[in-house]
Amino acid sequence: WHHHISGLPAQNNYLDKRILNEMMTKHISAGLFGHQHVSDVVNEYKDLSSENKIILISSGSLYGKNRCI
């Protein structure tokens, strides 16, 4: 997907964490996003109640000088 999972309080252009929770129930263990236009950023999102987790990887951008293909 494109947007990160967090943003400033007044922003709404980020992925709703409920989608991540649904992905974890489907046993998806990793996801790629690119809004930051920086590659190599890795985060772990974990649901403490179920102990499910998903690794989030910033895959960079498809264009520009920082692209990661």
Side-chain angles (χ1 to χ4, degrees), residues 20-21 24-25 27-29 44-55:
L20 291 178
N21 291 332
M24 289 186 298
T25 64
H27 306 288
I28 296 172
S29 60
E44 180 180 80
Y45 177 77
K46 187 172 186 177
D47 179 358
L48 295 176
S49 63
S50 68
E51 297 194 19
N52 290 332
K53 65 182 175 181
I54 186 169
I55 302 297

Side-chain angles (χ1 to χ4, degrees), residues 6-14 35:
S6 62
L8 297 174
Q11 291 180 327
N12 62 1
N13 64 346
Y14 51 90
H35 184 69

